[in-house]
Amino acid sequence: MGTKHALLEVTAKLFSEHGWRGATTRRIAEAAGVNEVTLFRHFGSKEVLLRAAIEHSTAIAPATALPTEPGRLREEISIWARVIHAHVVQQGPMIRGCLAEFEEHPELAPVSCDGPMRAMQEMVRYLTRARELGMIGTSASLEGATVMLMNAVFLDAITRDVVPTCNAMSAENAVEVFVDLILRALSAQEAV
């Protein structure tokens, strides 16, 4: 692992644990085993480093891509939703840290929301194609269905480790229930 990557990983961890103020450049440099000069040589400022670490940590992996041509809606959407759920669970501390800092650092919102916005656009594209193919009904909002699914997956994933009593279902079962509800709302042929 290179110095730049190590700095991103350490910064993400320290930001998750200590927030914007607590993730000092001195603390980051010490944890990464470099001096502050090296940190600034790679990133220029604490702000740039924190933004890069947040972007690096919150980006949703390309594995979330849906097929160009919808085939098995339930299976494909379920895989997509499980990948997003797992990502949110894994990055939960970072995401909660970002949410806590949005008011004081609104510039973090576009950075931390970029991956989810791309995932949302991907789902809307996929559902639009499914509608064109006659696989789902024509009356429901594709954007609304996507937001509902993403919000349900996100809320389940982000609260699973901090409020376990809110999760009566296993993560996998919860995702399947969310996907089923969305497919029914979209009048998908598979849901009938």
Side-chain angles (χ1 to χ4, degrees):
M1 173 169 38
T3 302
K4 192 169 187 173
H5 184 75
L7 284 167
L8 290 172
E9 293 290 321
V10 166
T11 301
K13 181 179 183 307
L14 292 175
F15 175 81
S16 297
E17 294 171 358
H18 305 288
W20 185 278
R21 285 192 181 107
T24 64
T25 55
R26 177 177 298 205
R27 183 179 268 172
I28 293 166
E30 286 175 4
V34 300
N35 61 42
E36 284 184 273
V37 173
T38 300
L39 182 150
F40 288 115
R41 193 171 348 141
H42 281 284
F43 292 97
S45 70
K46 175 182 175 178
E47 291 76 19
V48 171
L49 173 58
L50 283 170
R51 286 176 55 105
I54 291 165
E55 187 174 334
H56 173 74
S57 294
T58 59
I60 296 178
T64 60
L66 290 157
T68 304
E69 288 295 311
R72 297 176 146 156
L73 295 179
R74 182 177 308 279
E75 179 182 327
E76 293 162 356
I77 294 172
S78 291
I79 291 168
W80 178 86
R82 282 194 304 271
V83 168
I84 289 177
H85 190 281
H87 176 78
V88 173
V89 167
Q90 179 187 14
Q91 296 300 329
M94 169 61 80
I95 294 167
R96 286 189 291 271
C98 287
L99 291 170
E101 296 285 350
F102 280 175
E103 189 171 338
E104 193 170 332
H105 296 280
E107 70 277 8
L108 296 179
V111 174
S112 59
C113 294
D114 182 61
M117 291 306 296
R118 282 186 279 115
M120 187 170 129
Q121 291 166 351
E122 176 71 6
M123 178 56 79
V124 171
R125 179 213 50 84
Y126 174 86
L127 293 174
T128 299
R129 184 63 183 137
R131 180 171 277 167
E132 291 167 355
L133 295 171
M135 299 172 82
I136 60 175
T138 58
S139 62
S141 166
L142 302 180
E143 292 82 3
T146 300
V147 168
M148 286 177 61
L149 177 58
M150 289 186 71
N151 284 346
V153 168
F154 177 83
L155 184 60
D156 184 84
I158 202 72
T159 60
R160 194 158 279 276
D161 64 334
V162 292
V163 191
T165 56
C166 288
N167 301 297
M169 299 179 275
S170 69
E172 187 169 315
N173 192 31
V175 169
E176 295 307 317
V177 168
F178 302 150
V179 170
D180 181 65
L181 290 170
I182 292 303
L183 289 175
R184 288 176 186 273
L186 292 171
S187 302
Q189 291 177 0
E190 292 183 42
V192 185

